[in-house]
Amino acid sequence: MNAPARQWSGDETLLSHAHAHQERYLADLAALVAVDSGSHSADGVDRVADLVGARLALLGFDVERVPLPPAHGHRVGDALVGRRQGRLAVADGGRRILLAAHMDTVFDDGAAAERPFTVEGSLAHGPGVSDDKGGLVAGLAAVEILNRAGREDYAELVFLATPDEEIGSPVSRPLTRRAAEGAHYALALECARENGDLVIARKGVADFRIAVTGRAAHAGIEPERGANAALAAAHLVVAVQALNGHWDGVTVNVGVVRAGSRFNIVCPAAELLVEVRSATDDGMREAVAALRAIAARPAVPGTGAEVEELDSCPPMEDTDASRRMLGRARDIGARLGLAFGAAATGGVGDANTIAGCGVPTLDGLGPVGGADHTPEEWLDTASVPGRVALLAELIADLGDSRGD
């Protein structure tokens, strides 16, 4: 049973603060969108970190700027971890809240000049306006209006801003795990779905390389002495793809197949790159076990296959704890005049890593936006005050457990 969100007389105050903050929100968003900060544009990400870090410091956070190692041979920008102490100790019922957003985009350098920040009607456009600069600025705005309202009854706010989420967070993931340590709740600041829904679940993902070995032979003179790795790989593709539909919430995809080098040689080696996505840890374990079992039984005599896990990220599961968070968010939303549901998505984000640490997590707490990763990306500026007030009230509600 969901614990009812406490009735605060300050709901309208927070909403009025959010409306008053709208001009500042749009100015901050325009400043961030004007910076090219693709995942491999380290200098641009660092400029975003300069702006965000300065704002966090003004909001009373102790800010740690964390240099990270290269990702896939490319330098990435720095990460930020800001910590702000509240006035309610954990022993007295205060809770630690982790706010998580990312500073990188999927766009190349030059996109900010080609498609500068614009507002047409209520829709803002520009690279990263929704994913995730709109959510990043919403987090800053929510903390600011909480400060203005004197709503600091929490133990600690931890604000995490990562530089490599759009490429799977290959180097920031350990930092995210450290930031999640001791957190009671996590609120991820990706923007809400196009229909306003929050995100209750994200599939986990694991990437694999299957190396198939065969035996070379002259294809014209003595093909019988060979063992065709390409043929074995073809059988593997069919068998692996056939795993789809065996488990609810699990998808398997052979994304890349490579084999052979010449027409007249029986193919001695092949390679498959395979992705597995699952809504649950159990589904992931079963699918991966099945994948390994298939590879252990090659269909072509004389061939073999080895499975190597390249990377993995756990699912953000739909749990009782996250459902209780959603219930509290919907109660607050109703008081603010907002109605929304819960969405599950196959996309992976930093919320996956946080949830994988055992922290109850809710995502999609930025404003309403859509068309992510495309030139048409948009953010509904009319949704900003309500969503910022929702986020701020949810932080305050979760941060104080005395009424639970």
Side-chain angles (χ1 to χ4, degrees):
M1 185 174 181
N2 291 333
R6 287 177 293 280
Q7 299 297 315
W8 290 93
S9 61
D11 283 351
E12 293 183 1
T13 301
L14 286 181
L15 185 57
S16 65
H17 279 314
H19 278 289
H21 192 81
Q22 177 82 332
E23 186 175 343
R24 177 63 180 271
Y25 177 94
L26 293 175
D28 288 346
L29 182 58
L32 294 191
V33 172
V35 179
D36 285 314
S37 59
S39 305
H40 296 312
S41 300
D43 290 341
V45 173
D46 282 345
R47 286 196 293 275
V48 173
D50 291 340
L51 297 170
V52 174
R55 286 298 304 283
L56 287 172
L58 288 173
L59 291 171
F61 285 80
D62 293 325
V63 182
E64 179 187 10
R65 185 151 173 163
V66 185
L68 296 172
H72 312 311
H74 296 272
R75 187 170 78 85
V76 300
D78 296 341
L80 294 175
V81 181
R83 295 182 179 274
R84 188 184 196 280
Q85 299 302 311
R87 59 189 177 202
L88 188 61
V90 171
D92 296 326
R95 293 294 177 258
R96 293 188 179 93
I97 311 295
L98 173 61
L99 305 174
H102 64 90
M103 300 179 287
D104 60 323
T105 75
V106 299
F107 300 105
D108 294 332
D109 287 349
E114 181 181 343
R115 293 184 287 108
F117 180 80
T118 59
V119 180
E120 300 174 6
S122 69
L123 297 186
H125 296 274
V129 69
S130 171
D131 185 17
D132 182 31
K133 292 177 178 179
L136 184 63
V137 178
L140 298 172
V143 175
E144 183 157 340
I145 69 172
L146 282 173
N147 289 358
R148 288 181 185 174
R151 300 283 294 278
E152 300 174 25
D153 287 338
Y154 49 80
E156 184 181 40
L157 298 183
V158 181
F159 199 111
L160 172 69
T162 56
D164 60 341
E165 190 270 351
E166 293 292 7
I167 54 172
S169 304
V171 292
S172 68
R173 211 174 296 159
L175 178 66
T176 298
R177 295 191 188 101
R178 291 197 297 274
E181 291 176 1
H184 295 93
Y185 301 100
L187 303 174
L189 305 179
E190 297 281 359
C191 281
R193 304 297 92 176
E194 293 188 14
N195 65 356
D197 284 354
L198 305 187
V199 176
I200 195 73
R202 291 180 176 274
K203 284 186 176 181
V205 62
D207 297 331
F208 298 89
R209 175 180 180 268
I210 303 178
V212 185
T213 55
R215 186 168 57 251
H218 194 295
I221 298 175
E222 46 188 10
E224 69 280 358
R225 292 193 175 188
N228 197 314
L231 180 58
H235 283 282
L236 279 172
V237 170
V238 173
V240 169
Q241 289 291 148
L243 292 175
N244 286 292
H246 281 235
W247 307 274
D248 289 340
V250 175
T251 57
V252 184
N253 182 59
V254 180
V256 176
V257 181
R258 301 186 183 100
S261 60
R262 296 177 68 90
F263 293 105
N264 60 349
I265 299 175
V266 174
C267 177
E271 177 185 67
L272 279 65
L273 299 182
V274 181
E275 177 191 84
V276 181
R277 291 185 186 244
S278 175
T280 65
D281 283 323
D282 288 344
M284 181 66 75
R285 281 192 293 269
E286 292 183 23
V288 171
L291 176 70
R292 292 186 182 278
I294 289 170
R297 300 189 301 271
V300 177
T303 64
E306 292 187 0
V307 180
E308 176 189 5
E309 182 175 311
L310 302 177
D311 195 14
S312 66
C313 185
M316 172 186 163
E317 296 198 34
D318 184 340
T319 65
D320 290 342
S322 58
R323 283 284 165 179
R324 287 192 292 271
M325 293 174 70
L326 174 68
R328 294 168 83 150
R330 294 184 74 176
D331 288 343
I332 293 166
R335 302 203 306 267
L336 295 170
L338 302 175
F340 47 82
T345 177
V348 175
D350 287 335
N352 291 67
T353 299
I354 297 164
C357 296
V359 181
T361 304
L362 194 61
D363 201 352
L365 284 155
V368 175
D372 297 353
H373 297 193
T374 76
E376 290 74 39
E377 183 178 4
W378 57 269
L379 181 135
D380 184 1
T381 64
S383 75
V384 169
R387 294 293 167 149
V388 168
L390 169 67
L391 175 59
E393 186 61 69
L394 188 56
I395 293 169
D397 183 67
L398 296 173
D400 183 356
S401 70
R402 290 175 296 181
D404 293 352

